[in-house]
Amino acid sequence: ALASLYQAVLDRRASDLFKHLSEHVGNQIYDGRWFDPSTRAAFGAIRELTAPATGVVEVGLYKGNVLFVALKDVKASLYNEADSSMEKSDGLNPVSSQGYAEVQSVEAKSLAQAGLIDSEPSKKRARH
């Protein structure tokens, strides 16, 4: 269920980073390096990536399997029904010479619309 929530709020790059960091933390814990600086840094990055992952995941059961049914109240969801279809989207024009750039900008616009892009660098990061 949590994977469904992460899928709703993490874009492709964030998902790749989350997967890599999770594998790193798993290896570090296996090696007994829970308090290692790289483990702590990875946990910090994972917390940053998953902070917007809030909402309700509805699941169903069928023959002993847990199945995803629906997501509700996911404020930072990247899904935008208008951009899920080339025909319905006002911002996409595949005929124009800028079509590729417009398609590529959909991800950034979705991140900004979901409140996941911070235009100001966090002041709390300057910790020594």
Side-chain angles (χ1 to χ4, degrees):
L2 190 55
S4 299
L5 193 54
Y6 289 158
Q7 186 177 6
V9 299
L10 299 177
D11 68 342
R12 181 175 45 93
R13 290 168 191 82
S15 294
D16 288 345
L17 181 58
F18 176 81
K19 180 181 175 187
H20 174 75
L21 291 168
S22 297
E23 289 172 0
H24 177 74
V25 167
N27 290 332
Q28 290 290 94
I29 291 172
Y30 181 81
D31 291 340
R33 297 181 177 272
W34 182 271
F35 299 106
D36 187 81
S38 70
T39 308
R40 290 194 322 254
F43 271 125
I46 289 170
R47 275 191 294 277
E48 180 76 23
L49 289 169
T50 59
T54 60
V56 176
V57 181
E58 185 180 326
V59 296
L61 299 173
Y62 181 73
K63 293 186 178 183
N65 295 306
V66 179
L67 306 170
F68 168 81
V69 176
L71 282 175
K72 298 175 184 172
D73 302 322
V74 183
K75 293 181 177 121
S77 174
L78 297 177
Y79 178 73
N80 181 349
E81 189 172 352
D83 288 334
S84 65
S85 168
M86 293 285 277
E87 291 80 27
K88 290 183 181 179
S89 177
D90 293 332
L92 299 176
N93 183 358
V95 178
S96 76
S97 61
Q98 296 178 347
Y100 177 76
E102 291 171 358
V103 169
Q104 293 301 311
S105 72
V106 169
E107 182 179 28
K109 288 176 184 175
S110 294
L111 287 167
Q113 191 173 35
L116 298 175
I117 294 178
D118 188 8
S119 61
E120 297 288 325
S122 178
K123 293 180 175 140
K124 66 182 178 182
R125 295 180 196 187
R127 236 173 58 189
H128 294 281

